[in-house]
Amino acid sequence: MDSPVSNTNRATARSSVIGSLRGCTMAGIRIPKENLRRKITMPQYLRLAIRDAIESKDVASAANRHSAADSNGGDVAQQPAESPIVVFVNSRSGGRHGPELKGRLQDLMGEEQVFDLHFLKPHEFVQYGLGCLEKLAELGDSCAKETREKLRIVVAGGDGTVGWVLGCLGELHKQGREPVPPTAIIPLGTGNDLSRSFGWGGSFPFNWRSAIKKSLDIATEAPTCRLDSWNVSISMPAEEVVDPPHSLKPVEESSIDLGLERIGELPDKVSCYEGVFYNYFSIGMDAQVAYGFHHLRNEKPYLAQGPISNKLIYSGYSCKQGWFFTPCMSDPSLRGLKNIVRMYVKKANCSEWKQVSIPSSVRSLVALNLNNYASGRNPWGNLKPEYLEKRGFVEAHVDDGLIEIFGLKQGWHASFVMTELISAKHIAQAAAIQFEFRGGEWKEAFMQMDGEPWKQPMNKDYSTFVEIKRVPFQSFMIRGD
């Protein structure tokens, strides 16, 4: 398996326009439609078996029905596809290209191999769809066995959608159901940083009908690489998180290490949540702006018809929320995060927690896994070896087991960071992080994972804890460049 390329072309990474032009260039290479269809489409009986298993939610019965049909002379003589592909489409992502894209994909491959995430959740496919292939393989079906082993996934959506699918595929590791299919990306979101990081471009291509065909062809045989993912655990006074993102789920109990010296008291009853992110986790003003933007897009989808309009609205929200024009000390709800957060980190190969000071001017804390953030920016920067050595840092990679923590001050500082005129405020590089929040005058904080924000309730009497630690297995990604 190939090692990931840590530093993608910076010009491509930070320009969605160039990403779109790249799509047009790819479209210029002619790929015969029928050749691609034969290459990626599963035999019909397998497609029907998968659909039957998902609809009935009964793997054994579906496998037995279709296995019995084969024994009576159905498709038993069929050969498996050379490189079978399953596509997940988020028809609500980004500029709403999903419905048209879904139709195009169904035209290029078996209709049963294209799933709209509005109607089918990825964990249902993992449980029933892949389960059906595995059951048929157990029954001696060599075509099903080879299809399961060769299968690749393509996700058409934004970063949050890609993370959602990767998280569900990650369950295969826990259940011992290898191999885990590698994943390619068709960018439909606003930032598309996961897509940029693995060479799939920064935006939905202009000449998309031809470019999609090329993307599918690349996904069949391109090399794979590894990606770290990070588990977020939240322990809070007994309350509910309203409208949590797909990647954040309630759990029975928390795995957080509570042996540290605490600011506040621990309540008798707690609510616990867990989730996984692949690009970044952030706290503060950037998450607050994202939260407002997401609500506006859901309430008035006609205002957000594509990446450019999305970014204009996003900029307007940044000003409205006071990141640019309101002094930090004018209101408790706008003060620096140091007033409510205490942060601890574990360094690589170290079991001890160490408290790290948060600069008083920082209004947004970001824990970053990729070299791409906010539509292809690199806020951590390409740091010189002397600086890395001085700070005790190492060069950042997506599979190094470390995460970079930086701070953003007011909106002006963030703007200079996003244009890469300066680097963000480097705070730490860690193998694990723990935050303790004390409410005080703050009734809520804003957090987000991979572009999916939520409002985190806070209690003035009791602390809320958030712990980030690396998931023990890595995701497999397909390189598009």
Side-chain angles (χ1 to χ4, degrees), residues 349-392:
N349 303 315
C350 181
S351 59
E352 298 292 323
W353 289 103
K354 177 184 177 183
Q355 185 174 353
V356 176
S357 176
I358 300 171
S360 58
S361 58
V362 166
R363 303 180 68 191
S364 180
L365 277 172
V366 183
L368 184 65
N369 187 40
L370 304 180
N371 290 329
N372 285 299
Y373 170 81
S375 301
R377 279 70 177 180
N378 183 6
W380 186 255
N382 296 306
L383 307 181
K384 294 181 178 180
E386 313 86 72
Y387 180 81
L388 291 171
E389 185 178 357
K390 178 181 176 182
R391 294 295 305 271

Side-chain angles (χ1 to χ4, degrees), residues 177-226:
R177 295 167 58 192
E178 279 84 3
V180 178
T183 300
I185 304 169
I186 297 173
L188 283 184
T190 302
N192 300 309
D193 289 305
L194 275 164
S195 178
R196 296 168 194 272
S197 296
F198 296 98
W200 294 103
S203 67
F204 196 60
F206 295 131
N207 193 5
W208 65 271
R209 295 183 66 82
S210 298
I212 294 309
K213 191 164 59 171
K214 180 60 179 175
S215 293
L216 291 177
D217 187 59
I218 292 173
T220 62
E221 53 193 27
T224 62
C225 57
R226 294 176 181 269

